Amino acid sequence: MDLARWLAVTGMLIVHFTVPFLDLETVTALLIHQAAWGRSTILFTFLAGVSLAFISGADSPHRGVMGNVTAGRVMVRGLLLMGIGWALTAAVAPTEVVLTVILAYYGLYFLLAIPFLRLGARWSSAAAVAAMVVGPQLLFVLRRSHDTGGWFHEFTEVWNRFSLGHILVDQGLLDLAVYGFYPALSYLAVVLAGVAVGRLDLNSHTVRMGLAALGLLLNSVAYRGSWHAWESYSLTITLGNRERIQGPVPTDDARWLLSSASHTATTPEILGGTGLALFVLVVCLYATEYLPRLLSPLVAAGTMALTIYVLHALAMAWQADLDLYPSDGEFLLDEYMSELFLVGSIVVAFIWRHLVGRGPVEAFVSTVSKAVVPDLRYGRDRTRAHPLNLLSRARTRSLTGAD
């Protein structure tokens, strides 16, 4: 899990800081950048769903009082992530840096996933499939209604007058759910897919091989199907090149819903990215079992992915605010930020994990959520000894290699 999380956050670093140690004009650098573009976000979101499954009981979902405690803590985590995301957005926005902070979206994903945390693997899978089929299409309908001045345009106008997030940082709930770069209406399907996978026995080789095969199949069907539709129906002639839209698709033609380009939030893009995330998770599970010592620095960085993301957003804001003629030290930091951040995050995270433990942002979110929603049945010191918690922790240890 932590190795996969490191790959996800590293993909975001590559997209925002460029590919480290390579000339950007080389084919290898272009392929790496293209692979990370959009897919690292889906991997990050998918792993959030798997993590939610673990903290809510793994293959034995928390129900009853324990389910209420888990739901409360997830709600607090979601609200904290939204707050951190909005704070980062407020810090980054004045610099005009090209960065859409995902943490506020991430927090909304957590909140929307709460009703599904009591479901087992089968029903979680069904919910993920339904969200993947319905969500992007509903998103398109609502955006089209807004663009054409329909009822949703009027509703948005009224809503945004009272939406605190929209007023302060131009990122209210409707922006996070419908209009933003990572709309929850589409990305919730990825989270639910992660929850479904987290309900399975990931120690089983049969389950792993099945997930890897399913991931490759979904990825192939989504991307190949999108390409086939574009070629077979001559959409290149009527709509233009599919890859020219790398973001929310135009709402003037519903055929754009067949695109699998990054950040389009269509069913093909979500399906293909989720399939790739499935395959990556299985590879990481085997890699950390066979090469635990070699990969331990990367795993350590994965445990601090949230902290690394926050620091990288602040670093981008600093870069954008550099003077026209920076000093030699500032110039070197700016020029080699990709290499310094990648290597530095691994080294610092490895040392921090062994000397301190969890990353500061991770520890803050976890500590506050447990303090706000304690498990009063067992007392503050006995909460972690509950059988369901022990099961979840044992499963997490076996998957992450944590002590």
Side-chain angles (χ1 to χ4, degrees):
M1 276 289 294
D2 291 323
L3 179 61
R5 198 175 284 114
W6 173 80
L7 287 174
V9 77
T10 299
M12 294 183 183
L13 296 181
I14 288 173
V15 170
H16 298 148
F17 286 141
T18 72
V19 182
F21 305 111
L22 291 175
D23 184 351
L24 296 181
E25 300 302 322
T26 62
V27 175
T28 303
L30 291 174
L31 289 176
I32 292 175
H33 187 276
Q34 184 62 30
W37 178 254
R39 295 167 186 84
S40 57
T41 301
I42 294 181
L43 176 58
F44 203 54
T45 305
F46 171 79
L47 295 173
V50 182
S51 297
L52 286 176
F54 286 160
I55 66 177
S56 61
D59 54 2
S60 298
H62 294 167
R63 296 186 174 94
V65 177
M66 194 61 193
N68 295 335
V69 171
T70 300
R73 289 178 175 175
V74 171
M75 181 183 68
V76 174
R77 286 173 183 247
L79 293 174
L80 287 173
L81 287 172
M82 291 178 71
I84 295 172
W86 280 333
L88 277 180
T89 300
V92 168
T95 66
E96 298 184 357
V97 67
V98 184
L99 171 65
T100 302
V101 178
I102 194 177
L103 294 186
Y105 295 90
Y106 213 56
L108 182 58
Y109 303 161
F110 273 46
L111 298 180
L112 294 177
I114 290 175
F116 303 93
L117 295 183
R118 299 172 189 259
L119 302 179
R122 180 177 300 177
W123 286 107
S124 296
S125 301
V129 171
M132 201 166 291
V133 172
V134 175
Q137 279 58 246
L138 177 59
L139 177 70
F140 181 87
V141 170
L142 294 179
R143 283 178 169 174
R144 180 175 176 81
S145 175
H146 176 268
D147 293 345
T148 57
W151 70 270
F152 199 67
H153 173 79
E154 298 177 1
F155 176 80
T156 301
E157 291 292 316
V158 175
W159 179 275
N160 285 343
R161 293 174 191 168
F162 305 97
S163 177
L164 187 61
H166 186 84
I167 294 171
L168 296 178
V169 294
D170 197 28
Q171 200 179 69
L173 290 181
L174 285 182
D175 301 293
L176 299 176
V178 179
Y179 299 113
F181 214 56
Y182 314 110
L185 274 180
S186 287
Y187 281 79
L188 178 62
V190 184
V191 178
L192 296 180
V195 172
V197 170
R199 299 290 184 219
L200 302 175
D201 181 10
L202 295 179
N203 291 309
S204 167
H205 294 291
T206 303
V207 171
R208 291 183 183 182
M209 290 297 97
L211 290 176
L214 176 62
L216 291 177
L217 177 63
L218 294 178
N219 184 268
S220 177
V221 168
Y223 289 129
R224 182 68 181 180
S226 176
W227 176 88
H228 178 73
W230 227 256
E231 295 298 322
S232 298
Y233 299 106
S234 302
L235 298 186
T236 304
I237 299 175
T238 55
L239 299 181
N241 192 306
R242 179 180 47 165
E243 282 72 27
R244 75 181 179 88
I245 301 296
Q246 299 280 333
V249 296
T251 58
D252 57 347
D253 195 316
R255 290 177 294 179
W256 277 109
L257 288 169
L258 297 172
S259 173
S260 62
S262 298
H263 297 302
T264 52
T266 62
T267 295
E269 192 229 345
I270 297 297
L271 186 65
T274 303
L276 181 61
L278 276 169
F279 182 77
V280 168
L281 176 60
V282 173
V283 171
C284 290
L285 291 175
Y286 280 117
T288 48
E289 286 182 359
Y290 288 103
L291 301 169
R293 292 186 180 276
L294 179 64
L295 297 175
S296 59
L298 307 185
V299 171
T303 64
M304 295 178 59
L306 185 56
T307 298
I308 292 172
Y309 183 89
V310 171
L311 291 176
H312 112 280
L314 295 176
M316 290 186 69
W318 172 80
Q319 281 183 306
D321 270 349
L322 279 179
D323 296 329
L324 185 61
Y325 300 102
S327 65
D328 291 341
E330 290 176 326
F331 176 79
L332 288 175
L333 284 174
D334 184 34
E335 184 73 11
Y336 298 102
M337 181 62 77
S338 180
E339 292 80 4
L340 290 171
F341 215 96
L342 178 63
V343 176
S345 63
I346 295 172
V347 173
V348 173
F350 183 73
I351 297 173
W352 182 282
R353 178 174 171 82
H354 284 79
L355 295 181
V356 181
R358 287 179 299 181
V361 181
E362 289 81 1
F364 168 74
V365 172
S366 177
T367 302
V368 172
S369 66
K370 291 179 180 179
V372 174
V373 188
D375 188 352
L376 299 178
R377 296 175 306 153
Y378 299 97
R380 183 175 180 181
D381 296 329
R382 296 181 58 193
T383 301
R384 298 174 66 185
H386 186 264
L388 290 178
N389 285 345
L390 291 176
L391 170 66
S392 181
R393 291 179 62 216
R395 172 65 54 78
T396 304
R397 285 199 301 272
S398 67
L399 292 174
T400 64
D403 295 332

